[in-house]
Amino acid sequence: MNSEILQSSNTISNFKIDPRTKIIVLVILNLMVFGEAPLYATISMVSIPFFLLLFNKRKKVALIYISAYTLALLGEIFLVPATHGILNLLIVMITNLLVRMMPGIIMGYYLIVTTTVSEFLASMEKTRIPKMISIPISVVFRFLPTLIEEIRAILDAMHMRGIGLNLKTVKSPLTVLEYILVPLLINAVKTGDELSAASLTRGLGNPIKRTHICEVGFHIQDIILLTISVAALIIFLLFK
């Protein structure tokens, strides 16, 4: 069994946000970007994942995110009205995809990579969320990063054998199915079994109230983020 599965992801940062704050920000952020909120309110929310990633020392992801979002937003404002035909359709499709989807995806990425299973369970228990909801979500927290590691390992192994995702393999989809998708599905099932065993070993199914060594709670940074998010939501509801 991969020993990393039994371990929580490291969040070596002094700037810690409570998991409940991250979830609230994620929900409000998606409401704003999909609900056509005023631009200044949307930008204030879209900037939150950027600064959170910077504080968490993930500068590369933060810069790629804010650059791609800014270009997409400028394209939506200036290029869409100035183009016609197929080019206009292509620009609308790409800019809408980036402007609407990317902020939520990046905030979800930040939530997963900076929240340990213990922190998530402790915060859910403090909020009195039923275990039948919190435990499956906590397993997802470990499943997605592990699955991404498996995908990288499979692609590296196939690349060493001269099989990769390129034009040659795209022309023969059965090769991709046999050498990439089949091992991926088998590893996904195996990872699910191992995570279930790890969960039982940790006593997640025990009805007795758990104790936690991790500390969760709202701090000044949580209050600032919640204040910005709630203010943006109120503006969105008033000017909708």
Side-chain angles (χ1 to χ4, degrees):
M1 180 185 294
N2 188 352
S3 59
E4 292 182 357
I5 293 176
L6 298 175
Q7 300 172 353
S8 298
S9 60
N10 292 326
T11 55
I12 305 173
S13 172
N14 294 324
F15 190 81
K16 285 195 173 183
I17 306 294
D18 189 276
R20 290 165 290 184
T21 304
K22 298 173 189 174
I23 293 172
I24 292 171
V25 171
L26 176 63
V27 172
I28 295 178
L29 174 60
N30 279 300
L31 285 175
M32 302 287 287
V33 294
F34 281 102
E36 301 292 339
L39 184 60
Y40 57 90
T42 304
I43 289 177
S44 67
M45 288 301 299
V46 168
S47 303
I48 290 179
F50 169 69
F51 288 110
L52 290 178
L53 288 169
L54 281 184
F55 284 125
N56 202 254
K57 300 177 182 177
R58 297 177 187 273
K59 297 179 182 176
K60 185 178 179 181
V61 179
L63 292 175
I64 291 174
Y65 159 62
I66 202 66
S67 302
Y69 181 83
T70 303
L71 290 175
L73 187 61
L74 292 175
E76 189 178 61
I77 294 173
F78 296 108
L79 289 182
V80 171
T83 54
H84 304 280
I86 296 177
L87 180 62
N88 177 266
L89 182 65
L90 189 64
I91 293 174
V92 168
M93 190 168 60
I94 294 174
T95 55
N96 262 287
L97 186 67
L98 291 175
V99 170
R100 304 287 180 274
M101 301 289 291
M102 192 166 55
I105 292 173
I106 295 298
M107 189 64 207
Y109 163 79
Y110 174 80
L111 171 65
I112 290 178
V113 298
T114 60
T115 306
T116 65
V117 174
S118 299
E119 289 172 345
F120 178 78
L121 286 176
S123 63
M124 291 299 102
E125 286 185 6
K126 277 193 172 184
T127 319
R128 301 186 183 281
I129 300 294
K131 287 186 176 179
M132 61 182 295
I133 297 175
S134 61
I135 290 179
I137 297 176
S138 67
V139 172
V140 172
F141 268 70
R142 294 300 301 139
F143 180 77
L144 290 179
T146 307
L147 187 62
I148 292 172
E149 289 178 9
E150 295 290 347
I151 292 173
R152 286 175 181 166
I154 291 171
L155 291 178
D156 288 343
M158 292 302 105
H159 183 69
M160 291 177 66
R161 297 180 182 182
I163 302 170
L165 291 176
N166 49 44
L167 289 177
K168 187 178 178 181
T169 53
V170 168
K171 291 179 181 177
S172 56
L174 288 179
T175 303
V176 179
L177 182 68
E178 180 180 359
Y179 292 106
I180 297 178
L181 291 184
V182 171
L184 178 62
L185 291 175
I186 293 173
N187 278 330
V189 173
K190 185 182 175 184
T191 301
D193 292 339
E194 291 175 346
L195 285 174
S196 299
S199 300
L200 293 175
T201 304
R202 289 186 168 191
L204 290 183
N206 196 327
I208 299 175
K209 187 176 180 181
R210 288 164 51 86
T211 58
H212 302 276
I213 58 173
C214 63
E215 295 182 0
V216 294
F218 295 107
H219 301 90
I220 183 65
Q221 56 266 33
D222 295 284
I223 295 171
I224 293 172
L225 286 175
L226 290 174
T227 302
I228 295 173
S229 302
V230 172
L233 181 62
I234 291 172
I235 292 172
F236 167 56
L237 294 176
L238 289 177
F239 292 93
K240 186 178 179 182

